[in-house]
Amino acid sequence: MNILCKKFRHTLKCPLLLVLSSIILFEWLEYSFTPLLYWSRISTDYSSQDDVKLLIVGDPQLLGYHYSPPGLLGMICCWDADRYVRKTFVKAYNYVNPDIVIFLGDNLDEGEIASDDDFLSYFHRFRHVFREVDFNRALIVPGDNDIGGEGSIPQPFFEKRFNKYFRDDVFTHYQFLEFVKVNYITHSNRYHFAPNVSESNFRIILSHIPLTPSYSTFVSRVIPYLKPHVILSAHDHKSQHIVAERKTGVIIRTSHMTDVTSCSFNISDFNIHEITVPTCSYRMGTLKMGYGALKISKSGEVSYNVLWLPSRFRQLIIHLFVLIIVSVYLLIHFAKCCMRQNNGGSYFQLYTQNRYFNPSNV
C-alpha cells in the first residue's frame, strides 16, 4: 500500500502543475499584462496634464442576492463577478489616471427590488470594488436596474434612495467642461437646473439610456434646451459612436461597427457626438467588455478609446477543461494502480510462501 501511495503522489505532480499553471496564467498574468495584451494599439497619450481625462464605467451591475443561485454557489458567483470588475478597473484606472470617473448607470443589478438593508450592503460593495475613486470627483447616473424602469414603472422612492447614497447633483462644472445628468427613465425635467451653456465651455450630457437612437418627445425637448456637444450613455452593453444635429438631435450618421474601439473628432457648434460605452461586467450576456477612456483638450479635440478586457468566460471554460482532463487522468491512473496492486498482491503472497517454506531450505 505504501508503494501505491508513493506512486500516486508522484503521479499528482503533473496534474497539479497543469492546474497551477492555468491559475497563474489566467488569474494573474493575463490581468497583469492586460495593458500590453489588449491596449497596446491605443495611440492616445493619457499622460498629458493639459487635457481632461475621463474614465467611463458602463453597467457594472454588481450582482444581488435575489437572482443569484442560493447558498455557496451564489456567494461564489457574486465574489467572482465583483473580483473581475475590481481587477480590471484597477488596471484601467492606473492606465488612464483620470481626472473624473463617470458611472453611467446600472451600477447595481437588483437596486430596484432590494430592501433598504440589502441596498446599503450593495452600496458598500460598490464603494469597495471601486475604492480607488475619489467620489467627490465622480459622477454617477442611475440606471433602470438601480431605480426601476425597464420591467416596471420607476417608483420615486427608489430614485430618492439612490440619490441619498450616490449623490443628487444635476449640473457639474470642471475646468472647461460642463456635465449635465439627464434621466430618460423618469423623463425628469431636473436638467432645467443647468444654466445656459458657456461659449468657452463644452457641454456633456450623461444619460444611462442612449438619447439620439431613442429619439422621442422627451429627447426633442432635452437636446434643444441643453445644446450638448457630447453625450455619454450606456445601457445597450455595446460600443457605438453616433453623430447627430446639435439643434435637433436627429441622427446624421452612426458607426457601421457595433463594437467601436476608438474614434476621434473635433467638437463643433453643429453636431453632437454620442458615445455609447460597453458593459464592464462579464455577467451581462455579452462576449466583449470594456471601459471607456475619453480625453478632451481645451481646443475641442476629442479622443476616445475602449479599453477592452479579457474574456472571463474563456478563462472559466479553460479552467473547467483543465479540471476535466486532470480528473479523468487521475481516475484512469488510480484504476490502473489498483489493478496492478491486486495482481502484485497475489504474486507477493506466492513469492513469500515459496521463500520460507521451500523444502530445499530445510
Side-chain angles (χ1 to χ4, degrees), residues 114-125:
S115 65
D116 288 343
D117 290 339
D118 286 344
F119 194 93
L120 180 60
S121 173
Y122 300 157
F123 172 72
H124 288 312
R125 276 175 56 200

Side-chain angles (χ1 to χ4, degrees), residues 31 34-35 39 46-47 53-57 84-103 129-139 280 290-293 307 309:
Y31 291 103
T34 290
W39 308 336
Y46 289 100
S47 63
K53 296 170 291 184
L54 309 176
L55 180 60
I56 310 166
V57 182
Y84 178 82
V85 176
R86 165 73 193 149
K87 292 178 72 172
T88 55
F89 177 77
V90 171
K91 294 298 178 184
Y93 187 87
N94 292 333
Y95 184 82
V96 177
N97 189 24
D99 299 293
I100 297 177
V101 179
I102 297 174
F103 295 88
V129 169
F130 301 105
R131 55 182 176 269
E132 281 77 19
V133 178
D134 178 2
F135 283 94
N136 292 319
R137 297 177 64 179
L139 301 174
C280 62
Y291 296 97
L307 306 180
L309 305 177

